[in-house]
Amino acid sequence: MKVVKLEDVINSEQNVDNGNWVSRRLILKKDNMGYSVNDTIIRAGTETHIWYQNHLETVYCIEGEGEVETLSDNKVYPITADTLYALDKHDEHLLRAKTDMRMVCVFNPPLSGREVHDENGVYPVDDE
Ligand code: 9YT
């Protein structure tokens, strides 16, 4: 069994800061679980364009307040603590944080570790 402490991840290269957000990568592809798990802080006042064409992501907000706008239909979903959203259609979206938001993010297939969004809000496919 594995036990992972957030404080250890924060002081490692599994702490990935992209400006709008900082992603503490708790479980990664190398852990062979078939998914990855991040504890991510979305910084207050930011808007991030995201489009995970190569991944499915489920996001559970445990702190803070913001919204997600899906770009295919311009629907706006308020996101607050105790709210989960699942990008089951690889939905292209804008994530806006009103306050700092703390999110638990699960990716399938798993992230391998250092991914940051490219100019289209995409994470590359890891086919190694
Ligand atoms: C909620 C969300 O998608 N934030 C962007 C960062 C990403 N979830 C990550 O790598 O932790």
Side-chain angles (χ1 to χ4, degrees):
M1 196 184 91
K2 254 177 203 171
V3 176
V4 179
K5 302 281 283 183
L6 180 62
E7 65 192 61
D8 295 334
V9 168
I10 285 171
N11 295 310
S12 79
E13 64 168 23
Q14 289 181 209
N15 190 84
V16 178
D17 192 329
N18 204 32
N20 283 8
W21 47 260
V22 56
S23 175
R24 292 82 64 92
R25 298 192 164 158
L26 302 165
I27 288 289
L28 288 167
K29 185 180 179 187
K30 68 179 169 58
D31 297 303
N32 293 316
M33 296 297 289
Y35 52 79
S36 58
V37 181
N38 308 327
D39 178 326
T40 299
I41 305 291
I42 314 293
R43 294 197 169 102
T46 60
E47 177 182 84
T48 307
H49 174 223
I50 299 174
W51 194 8
Y52 294 126
Q53 297 173 39
N54 304 313
H55 298 84
L56 295 169
E57 186 194 26
T58 293
V59 181
Y60 186 49
C61 177
I62 55 173
E63 289 171 18
E65 197 183 332
E67 64 184 26
V68 169
E69 178 174 350
T70 44
L71 293 183
S72 62
D73 53 9
N74 297 109
K75 277 194 185 163
V76 176
Y77 300 86
I79 305 294
T80 53
D82 306 340
T83 306
L84 178 149
Y85 62 93
L87 300 164
D88 60 338
K89 297 187 178 61
H90 299 275
D91 312 67
E92 182 179 15
H93 62 285
L94 296 172
L95 172 59
R96 301 187 187 100
K98 192 164 166 187
T99 66
D100 278 1
M101 301 171 80
R102 187 171 178 201
M103 317 286 231
V104 178
C105 310
V106 177
F107 281 86
N108 168 26
L111 301 184
S112 41
R114 301 296 304 166
E115 289 93 343
V116 290
H117 299 141
D118 71 11
E119 67 280 8
N120 298 313
V122 176
Y123 282 160
V125 67
D126 175 11
D127 49 13
E128 272 174 33

